[in-house]
Amino acid sequence: MYLLPIFHLALVLSSFFKANAETGNGALRLIRDNQYSDTQAWSSGIVQIYYGGSWGNICDDFYFSSDEADVTCHQLGYTGSSSFGTTSSITQYGTDGNATLIEDVSCSLGTYLTLLQCSVNAQYSSTCSNDNSDLVINCYTTRIWNSPYPGQIRLTGGKYSNQGLLEIYCNGQWGTVCDDLFGATDARVTCRQLGYNNYYTYDTLPQRGNESQSIWLSNIY
């Protein structure tokens, strides 16, 4: 029996970015002193976004508020933001030197799950062109799946926020999904439940993620 594991999700806007096989458009990661954690273990740092084929920064400008900060933390797997600022106001994480990719991030709801559910501007102004305006965020350390509801899904074990082993909460515990009939439509629905428009790619592995986990779903079509 094969499980559905590695998901690479991408939010599709006017075009589909396919620069590499590692990740998709809209993925987030946290940077400290030019390093990132490939286990997604950090809850604070400089926020980088994968957008238009490269990793870069988000400008913390007039539009960025607590709603946008909460959505950023939701996408990183946390319940919300405890504080946010720029690399000039929160200095302990250094600077990373990457280019600014988006600004004017505006979320109509702070309950969104991913940042690209909000409106963004990829034509950033000159005030966002230096490293002093890069977004720094401190998320609460509580994970959004610490108090799960039946049917909630999550991705675990990926390098970035939009990839990993697909798990579903059922009967009081997290389990996995068998991919026997899993196809493109199922991948798209899964991604939309997680706050993305579409999938980047999906694949299977010939072994289970955690041998103690139950397989909760199969024959999805």
Side-chain angles (χ1 to χ4, degrees):
M1 182 175 290
Y2 286 74
L3 297 186
L4 176 72
I6 302 302
F7 252 106
H8 299 277
L9 312 181
L11 179 67
V12 176
L13 298 174
S14 57
S15 60
F16 189 74
F17 297 102
K18 195 174 181 180
N20 61 44
E22 281 287 320
T23 188
N25 208 45
L28 298 182
R29 66 184 184 185
L30 294 174
I31 299 293
R32 295 180 180 181
D33 297 320
N34 288 306
Q35 303 293 321
Y36 75 93
S37 170
D38 60 7
T39 61
Q40 301 183 53
W42 295 339
S43 60
S44 58
I46 301 170
V47 183
Q48 283 192 346
I49 187 168
Y50 189 83
Y51 194 85
S54 62
W55 286 100
N57 299 114
I58 300 169
C59 181
D60 178 4
D61 57 9
F62 173 78
Y63 290 93
F64 205 92
S65 67
S66 58
D67 281 345
E68 289 73 35
D70 283 342
V71 173
T72 302
C73 290
H74 293 165
Q75 183 171 342
L76 292 166
Y78 299 98
T79 55
S81 167
S82 59
S83 63
F84 65 94
T86 65
T87 46
S88 62
S89 61
I90 304 175
T91 60
Q92 65 262 43
Y93 305 120
T95 57
D96 63 11
N98 282 46
T100 298
L101 297 183
I102 63 171
E103 69 163 339
D104 297 344
V105 181
S106 181
C107 304
S108 58
L109 292 173
T111 55
Y112 287 157
L113 296 176
T114 60
L115 204 58
L116 289 190
Q117 288 180 287
C118 311
S119 64
V120 303
N121 182 6
Q123 304 297 319
Y124 57 88
S125 64
S126 59
T127 57
C128 288
S129 61
N130 61 72
D131 291 333
N132 292 331
S133 300
D134 295 343
L135 172 64
V136 179
I137 204 157
N138 295 303
C139 301
Y140 294 114
T141 56
T142 306
R143 291 289 193 175
I144 57 176
W145 50 76
N146 282 10
S147 299
Y149 55 85
Q152 183 175 358
I153 60 175
R154 68 180 182 182
L155 300 173
T156 63
K159 291 177 64 176
Y160 307 120
S161 60
N162 64 338
Q163 60 181 230
L165 176 71
L166 176 61
E167 296 181 348
I168 186 168
Y169 188 76
C170 183
N171 295 328
Q173 60 179 328
W174 289 98
T176 52
V177 178
C178 179
D179 87 322
D180 45 3
L181 294 175
F182 200 94
T185 299
D186 311 300
R188 189 173 298 110
V189 170
T190 299
C191 294
R192 288 178 177 175
Q193 184 172 341
L194 290 165
Y196 298 88
N197 262 9
N198 212 336
Y199 68 93
Y200 183 71
T201 186
Y202 63 94
D203 204 351
T204 63
L205 290 179
Q207 73 272 354
R208 298 177 59 174
N210 183 335
E211 290 298 330
S212 65
Q213 286 182 300
S214 299
I215 300 174
W216 287 133
L217 287 180
S218 64
N219 298 323
I220 301 173
Y221 60 93

